[in-house]
Amino acid sequence: MPEPTGKVVPLNVRRLPWTGPDGEPEYAAPGEVDDYADREEAHTISMARNDARYALSMVDSPDVSHDDLRKLVRTLVDDVVCVARVADLRGERLSDPSYGPAVRALEGALRQALRDT
């Protein structure tokens, strides 16, 4: 997986949902920090959902100022960027050859279960 910076990344590593101090992507072998990275991704999605619910409640409130709405839009834009990053990370993992057999086995099992019901 080459990075836009030209940096070559070893195979079978996971890009983490945070960057290093220099702003470059960080990677880890499977198992090293998977649980923590999974929790971080889930937290990102959960916060975006909470912000969206809050935004919906504010939109209909007559007491909300234009400045408050601008701040809210900035927050929602940040949320979209973060959730898109999580989607990209998950897509990278699904296309990784080391995950391929497990993904195909799970897909086959799910298809079979749906046919059996």
Side-chain angles (χ1 to χ4, degrees), residues 21-66:
D22 57 357
E24 292 289 317
E26 291 198 337
Y27 298 86
E32 288 181 18
V33 291
D34 279 339
D35 289 341
Y36 184 77
D38 289 344
R39 285 193 305 272
E40 182 68 24
E41 289 177 359
H43 176 73
T44 297
I45 293 168
S46 176
M47 291 299 297
R49 285 182 175 142
N50 288 341
D51 288 344
R53 280 191 289 272
Y54 179 66
L56 286 174
S57 71
M58 286 189 64
V59 165
D60 294 328
S61 174
D63 300 327
V64 177
S65 70
H66 288 284

Short mmCIF file of all heavy atoms in Angstrom, two decimals, residues 21-66:
data_model
loop_
_atom_site.label_atom_id
_atom_site.label_comp_id
_atom_site.label_asym_id
_atom_site.label_seq_id
_atom_site.Cartn_x
_atom_site.Cartn_y
_atom_site.Cartn_z
N PRO A 21 3.15 12.04 15.44
CA PRO A 21 3.43 13.45 15.76
C PRO A 21 3.78 14.30 14.54
O PRO A 21 3.54 15.50 14.53
CB PRO A 21 4.62 13.38 16.73
CG PRO A 21 4.96 11.95 16.91
CD PRO A 21 4.03 11.11 16.10
N ASP A 22 4.30 13.66 13.49
CA ASP A 22 4.66 14.40 12.28
C ASP A 22 3.49 14.48 11.30
O ASP A 22 3.64 14.99 10.19
CB ASP A 22 5.87 13.76 11.61
CG ASP A 22 5.64 12.29 11.27
OD1 ASP A 22 4.56 11.75 11.60
OD2 ASP A 22 6.55 11.68 10.67
N GLY A 23 2.32 13.94 11.68
CA GLY A 23 1.14 13.98 10.82
C GLY A 23 1.08 12.83 9.84
O GLY A 23 0.13 12.73 9.07
N GLU A 24 2.08 11.97 9.83
CA GLU A 24 2.11 10.82 8.93
C GLU A 24 1.23 9.69 9.48
O GLU A 24 1.08 9.55 10.70
CB GLU A 24 3.54 10.30 8.78
CG GLU A 24 4.46 11.25 8.04
CD GLU A 24 4.12 11.33 6.56
OE1 GLU A 24 3.87 10.28 5.95
OE2 GLU A 24 4.11 12.45 6.03
N PRO A 25 0.67 8.87 8.61
CA PRO A 25 -0.14 7.74 9.07
C PRO A 25 0.71 6.79 9.93
O PRO A 25 1.92 6.67 9.72
CB PRO A 25 -0.56 7.04 7.78
CG PRO A 25 -0.37 8.04 6.70
CD PRO A 25 0.73 8.95 7.15
N GLU A 26 0.06 6.14 10.87
CA GLU A 26 0.72 5.13 11.69
C GLU A 26 0.12 3.78 11.37
O GLU A 26 -1.06 3.67 11.05
CB GLU A 26 0.58 5.45 13.17
CG GLU A 26 1.37 6.67 13.57
CD GLU A 26 1.59 6.75 15.06
OE1 GLU A 26 0.80 6.16 15.83
OE2 GLU A 26 2.56 7.42 15.47
N TYR A 27 0.93 2.75 11.47
CA TYR A 27 0.53 1.39 11.12
C TYR A 27 0.91 0.44 12.25
O TYR A 27 1.84 0.71 13.01
CB TYR A 27 1.24 0.94 9.83
CG TYR A 27 0.89 1.79 8.64
CD1 TYR A 27 1.59 2.96 8.36
CD2 TYR A 27 -0.16 1.44 7.82
CE1 TYR A 27 1.25 3.74 7.28
CE2 TYR A 27 -0.50 2.22 6.72
CZ TYR A 27 0.21 3.37 6.46
OH TYR A 27 -0.14 4.15 5.39
N ALA A 28 0.19 -0.66 12.32
CA ALA A 28 0.52 -1.71 13.30
C ALA A 28 0.15 -3.05 12.70
O ALA A 28 -0.78 -3.16 11.90
CB ALA A 28 -0.24 -1.49 14.60
N ALA A 29 0.88 -4.06 13.12
CA ALA A 29 0.56 -5.42 12.70
C ALA A 29 -0.74 -5.85 13.37
O ALA A 29 -1.06 -5.37 14.46
CB ALA A 29 1.69 -6.37 13.07
N PRO A 30 -1.50 -6.73 12.75
CA PRO A 30 -2.75 -7.20 13.36
C PRO A 30 -2.49 -7.74 14.77
O PRO A 30 -1.51 -8.42 15.02
CB PRO A 30 -3.22 -8.32 12.43
CG PRO A 30 -2.60 -7.99 11.11
CD PRO A 30 -1.27 -7.35 11.44
N GLY A 31 -3.39 -7.38 15.68
CA GLY A 31 -3.31 -7.87 17.04
C GLY A 31 -2.63 -6.93 18.01
O GLY A 31 -2.93 -6.95 19.19
N GLU A 32 -1.75 -6.09 17.51
CA GLU A 32 -1.01 -5.21 18.42
C GLU A 32 -1.92 -4.22 19.13
O GLU A 32 -1.88 -4.08 20.34
CB GLU A 32 0.09 -4.45 17.68
CG GLU A 32 1.25 -5.31 17.26
CD GLU A 32 2.31 -4.49 16.55
OE1 GLU A 32 2.32 -3.25 16.67
OE2 GLU A 32 3.14 -5.10 15.86
N VAL A 33 -2.72 -3.52 18.37
CA VAL A 33 -3.59 -2.49 18.94
C VAL A 33 -4.99 -2.54 18.34
O VAL A 33 -5.71 -1.55 18.38
CB VAL A 33 -2.99 -1.08 18.76
CG1 VAL A 33 -1.75 -0.88 19.59
CG2 VAL A 33 -2.71 -0.78 17.30
N ASP A 34 -5.36 -3.69 17.80
CA ASP A 34 -6.65 -3.80 17.10
C ASP A 34 -7.83 -3.37 17.97
O ASP A 34 -8.69 -2.62 17.52
CB ASP A 34 -6.88 -5.23 16.62
CG ASP A 34 -6.16 -5.52 15.31
OD1 ASP A 34 -5.81 -4.57 14.60
OD2 ASP A 34 -5.94 -6.70 15.02
N ASP A 35 -7.89 -3.86 19.20
CA ASP A 35 -9.02 -3.53 20.06
C ASP A 35 -9.11 -2.03 20.32
O ASP A 35 -10.19 -1.44 20.26
CB ASP A 35 -8.94 -4.28 21.39
CG ASP A 35 -9.21 -5.76 21.24
OD1 ASP A 35 -9.80 -6.16 20.20
OD2 ASP A 35 -8.84 -6.52 22.15
N TYR A 36 -7.99 -1.41 20.60
CA TYR A 36 -7.99 0.02 20.87
C TYR A 36 -8.40 0.80 19.62
O TYR A 36 -9.21 1.72 19.68
CB TYR A 36 -6.62 0.48 21.37
CG TYR A 36 -6.60 1.93 21.75
CD1 TYR A 36 -7.16 2.36 22.94
CD2 TYR A 36 -6.07 2.89 20.88
CE1 TYR A 36 -7.18 3.71 23.27
CE2 TYR A 36 -6.09 4.22 21.21
CZ TYR A 36 -6.64 4.63 22.41
OH TYR A 36 -6.67 5.95 22.73
N ALA A 37 -7.85 0.42 18.47
CA ALA A 37 -8.18 1.10 17.22
C ALA A 37 -9.67 0.91 16.88
O ALA A 37 -10.33 1.85 16.44
CB ALA A 37 -7.30 0.59 16.08
N ASP A 38 -10.19 -0.30 17.10
CA ASP A 38 -11.62 -0.56 16.86
C ASP A 38 -12.48 0.33 17.76
O ASP A 38 -13.49 0.90 17.31
CB ASP A 38 -11.97 -2.02 17.11
CG ASP A 38 -11.41 -2.96 16.05
OD1 ASP A 38 -11.03 -2.48 14.97
OD2 ASP A 38 -11.36 -4.17 16.32
N ARG A 39 -12.10 0.45 19.02
CA ARG A 39 -12.86 1.31 19.95
C ARG A 39 -12.79 2.77 19.52
O ARG A 39 -13.77 3.50 19.60
CB ARG A 39 -12.36 1.13 21.38
CG ARG A 39 -12.81 -0.16 22.02
CD ARG A 39 -12.58 -0.18 23.53
NE ARG A 39 -11.22 0.09 23.91
CZ ARG A 39 -10.24 -0.83 24.02
NH1 ARG A 39 -10.51 -2.09 23.76
NH2 ARG A 39 -9.03 -0.48 24.39
N GLU A 40 -11.64 3.20 19.04
CA GLU A 40 -11.48 4.58 18.58
C GLU A 40 -12.37 4.85 17.37
O GLU A 40 -13.03 5.89 17.28
CB GLU A 40 -10.01 4.85 18.23
CG GLU A 40 -9.73 6.25 17.80
CD GLU A 40 -9.87 7.28 18.90
OE1 GLU A 40 -9.77 6.93 20.09
OE2 GLU A 40 -10.11 8.46 18.57
N GLU A 41 -12.43 3.90 16.43
CA GLU A 41 -13.30 4.06 15.27
C GLU A 41 -14.76 4.09 15.69
O GLU A 41 -15.54 4.93 15.21
CB GLU A 41 -13.06 2.92 14.27
CG GLU A 41 -11.73 3.01 13.56
CD GLU A 41 -11.48 1.84 12.63
OE1 GLU A 41 -12.34 0.93 12.53
OE2 GLU A 41 -10.43 1.83 11.96
N ALA A 42 -15.15 3.21 16.60
CA ALA A 42 -16.54 3.17 17.08
C ALA A 42 -16.89 4.47 17.80
O ALA A 42 -18.00 5.00 17.64
CB ALA A 42 -16.75 1.98 18.00
N HIS A 43 -15.95 5.00 18.56
CA HIS A 43 -16.18 6.27 19.27
C HIS A 43 -16.38 7.42 18.28
O HIS A 43 -17.26 8.26 18.46
CB HIS A 43 -15.00 6.56 20.20
CG HIS A 43 -15.10 7.87 20.90
ND1 HIS A 43 -15.98 8.09 21.93
CD2 HIS A 43 -14.45 9.05 20.69
CE1 HIS A 43 -15.86 9.34 22.34
NE2 HIS A 43 -14.95 9.95 21.60
N THR A 44 -15.59 7.44 17.21
CA THR A 44 -15.72 8.47 16.18
C THR A 44 -17.12 8.44 15.58
O THR A 44 -17.77 9.48 15.42
CB THR A 44 -14.66 8.25 15.08
OG1 THR A 44 -13.37 8.39 15.66
CG2 THR A 44 -14.83 9.22 13.93
N ILE A 45 -17.60 7.25 15.25
CA ILE A 45 -18.94 7.11 14.66
C ILE A 45 -20.01 7.50 15.66
O ILE A 45 -20.97 8.21 15.33
CB ILE A 45 -19.14 5.67 14.14
CG1 ILE A 45 -18.20 5.42 12.97
CG2 ILE A 45 -20.60 5.43 13.74
CD1 ILE A 45 -18.10 3.96 12.56
N SER A 46 -19.86 7.08 16.89
CA SER A 46 -20.83 7.41 17.94
C SER A 46 -20.93 8.93 18.17
O SER A 46 -22.02 9.48 18.28
CB SER A 46 -20.45 6.70 19.24
OG SER A 46 -21.30 7.07 20.28
N MET A 47 -19.79 9.60 18.21
CA MET A 47 -19.79 11.05 18.41
C MET A 47 -20.47 11.76 17.23
O MET A 47 -21.23 12.71 17.42
CB MET A 47 -18.36 11.56 18.57
CG MET A 47 -17.70 11.14 19.87
SD MET A 47 -18.55 11.74 21.33
CE MET A 47 -18.37 13.49 21.13
N ALA A 48 -20.23 11.27 16.02
CA ALA A 48 -20.87 11.88 14.84
C ALA A 48 -22.39 11.72 14.92
O ALA A 48 -23.14 12.64 14.60
CB ALA A 48 -20.32 11.26 13.56
N ARG A 49 -22.84 10.55 15.34
CA ARG A 49 -24.29 10.33 15.49
C ARG A 49 -24.87 11.26 16.54
O ARG A 49 -25.95 11.84 16.34
CB ARG A 49 -24.56 8.88 15.86
CG ARG A 49 -24.40 7.94 14.70
CD ARG A 49 -24.74 6.53 15.11
NE ARG A 49 -24.68 5.65 13.95
CZ ARG A 49 -24.23 4.42 13.97
NH1 ARG A 49 -23.79 3.89 15.09
NH2 ARG A 49 -24.21 3.70 12.87
N ASN A 50 -24.18 11.41 17.66
CA ASN A 50 -24.66 12.31 18.71
C ASN A 50 -24.72 13.75 18.21
O ASN A 50 -25.69 14.46 18.48
CB ASN A 50 -23.75 12.23 19.94
CG ASN A 50 -23.91 10.93 20.69
OD1 ASN A 50 -24.89 10.22 20.55
ND2 ASN A 50 -22.91 10.59 21.48
N ASP A 51 -23.69 14.17 17.49
CA ASP A 51 -23.68 15.54 16.95
C ASP A 51 -24.82 15.73 15.96
O ASP A 51 -25.45 16.79 15.92
CB ASP A 51 -22.34 15.85 16.28
CG ASP A 51 -21.20 16.01 17.29
OD1 ASP A 51 -21.48 16.18 18.49
OD2 ASP A 51 -20.03 15.95 16.86
N ALA A 52 -25.11 14.71 15.15
CA ALA A 52 -26.21 14.82 14.18
C ALA A 52 -27.55 14.95 14.89
O ALA A 52 -28.40 15.77 14.49
CB ALA A 52 -26.22 13.60 13.26
N ARG A 53 -27.76 14.16 15.95
CA ARG A 53 -29.00 14.29 16.72
C ARG A 53 -29.13 15.68 17.33
O ARG A 53 -30.19 16.30 17.31
CB ARG A 53 -29.06 13.22 17.80
CG ARG A 53 -29.50 11.86 17.30
CD ARG A 53 -29.80 10.91 18.44
NE ARG A 53 -28.60 10.48 19.12
CZ ARG A 53 -27.86 9.44 18.78
NH1 ARG A 53 -28.19 8.70 17.74
NH2 ARG A 53 -26.78 9.12 19.46
N TYR A 54 -28.03 16.18 17.88
CA TYR A 54 -28.03 17.52 18.47
C TYR A 54 -28.33 18.57 17.41
O TYR A 54 -29.12 19.50 17.64
CB TYR A 54 -26.68 17.78 19.13
CG TYR A 54 -26.55 19.13 19.76
CD1 TYR A 54 -27.32 19.49 20.87
CD2 TYR A 54 -25.66 20.07 19.23
CE1 TYR A 54 -27.20 20.75 21.44
CE2 TYR A 54 -25.54 21.32 19.80
CZ TYR A 54 -26.31 21.66 20.90
OH TYR A 54 -26.20 22.90 21.47
N ALA A 55 -27.74 18.41 16.23
CA ALA A 55 -27.97 19.36 15.14
C ALA A 55 -29.44 19.40 14.75
O ALA A 55 -30.00 20.48 14.54
CB ALA A 55 -27.11 19.00 13.94
N LEU A 56 -30.05 18.24 14.65
CA LEU A 56 -31.47 18.20 14.30
C LEU A 56 -32.32 18.93 15.33
O LEU A 56 -33.28 19.63 14.98
CB LEU A 56 -31.94 16.76 14.15
CG LEU A 56 -31.47 16.06 12.88
CD1 LEU A 56 -31.88 14.58 12.93
CD2 LEU A 56 -32.04 16.73 11.65
N SER A 57 -31.97 18.80 16.59
CA SER A 57 -32.76 19.49 17.63
C SER A 57 -32.54 21.00 17.57
O SER A 57 -33.45 21.78 17.86
CB SER A 57 -32.42 18.95 19.01
OG SER A 57 -31.13 19.35 19.41
N MET A 58 -31.34 21.42 17.19
CA MET A 58 -31.05 22.87 17.14
C MET A 58 -31.67 23.55 15.92
O MET A 58 -32.05 24.71 15.99
CB MET A 58 -29.54 23.10 17.15
CG MET A 58 -28.90 22.85 18.50
SD MET A 58 -27.19 23.37 18.56
CE MET A 58 -27.30 25.12 18.31
N VAL A 59 -31.75 22.84 14.82
CA VAL A 59 -32.25 23.44 13.58
C VAL A 59 -33.66 24.00 13.76
O VAL A 59 -33.98 25.07 13.23
CB VAL A 59 -32.20 22.41 12.43
CG1 VAL A 59 -33.02 22.85 11.25
CG2 VAL A 59 -30.77 22.16 12.04
N ASP A 60 -34.48 23.31 14.50
CA ASP A 60 -35.86 23.74 14.68
C ASP A 60 -36.06 24.69 15.85
O ASP A 60 -37.18 25.14 16.09
CB ASP A 60 -36.76 22.51 14.85
CG ASP A 60 -36.81 21.68 13.58
OD1 ASP A 60 -36.71 22.26 12.48
OD2 ASP A 60 -36.94 20.45 13.69
N SER A 61 -35.00 25.00 16.55
CA SER A 61 -35.13 25.89 17.70
C SER A 61 -35.06 27.36 17.26
O SER A 61 -34.10 27.77 16.60
CB SER A 61 -34.02 25.61 18.71
OG SER A 61 -34.06 26.55 19.75
N PRO A 62 -36.06 28.16 17.63
CA PRO A 62 -36.05 29.58 17.23
C PRO A 62 -34.98 30.39 17.97
O PRO A 62 -34.66 31.50 17.55
CB PRO A 62 -37.46 30.06 17.58
CG PRO A 62 -37.94 29.13 18.63
CD PRO A 62 -37.26 27.81 18.39
N ASP A 63 -34.43 29.83 19.04
CA ASP A 63 -33.45 30.57 19.85
C ASP A 63 -32.01 30.41 19.39
O ASP A 63 -31.10 30.96 19.99
CB ASP A 63 -33.55 30.12 21.32
CG ASP A 63 -34.93 30.36 21.90
OD1 ASP A 63 -35.57 31.36 21.50
OD2 ASP A 63 -35.36 29.55 22.73
N VAL A 64 -31.79 29.67 18.33
CA VAL A 64 -30.43 29.39 17.86
C VAL A 64 -29.96 30.53 16.96
O VAL A 64 -30.65 30.91 16.01
CB VAL A 64 -30.39 28.05 17.10
CG1 VAL A 64 -29.00 27.79 16.56
CG2 VAL A 64 -30.82 26.92 18.01
N SER A 65 -28.79 31.04 17.25
CA SER A 65 -28.25 32.15 16.46
C SER A 65 -27.55 31.62 15.21
O SER A 65 -27.21 30.43 15.11
CB SER A 65 -27.24 32.95 17.29
OG SER A 65 -26.08 32.17 17.51
N HIS A 66 -27.30 32.53 14.27
CA HIS A 66 -26.58 32.15 13.06
C HIS A 66 -25.16 31.69 13.41
O HIS A 66 -24.63 30.77 12.79
CB HIS A 66 -26.52 33.31 12.07
CG HIS A 66 -27.84 33.59 11.43
ND1 HIS A 66 -28.36 32.79 10.44
CD2 HIS A 66 -28.76 34.56 11.65
CE1 HIS A 66 -29.54 33.26 10.07
NE2 HIS A 66 -29.81 34.34 10.80
#
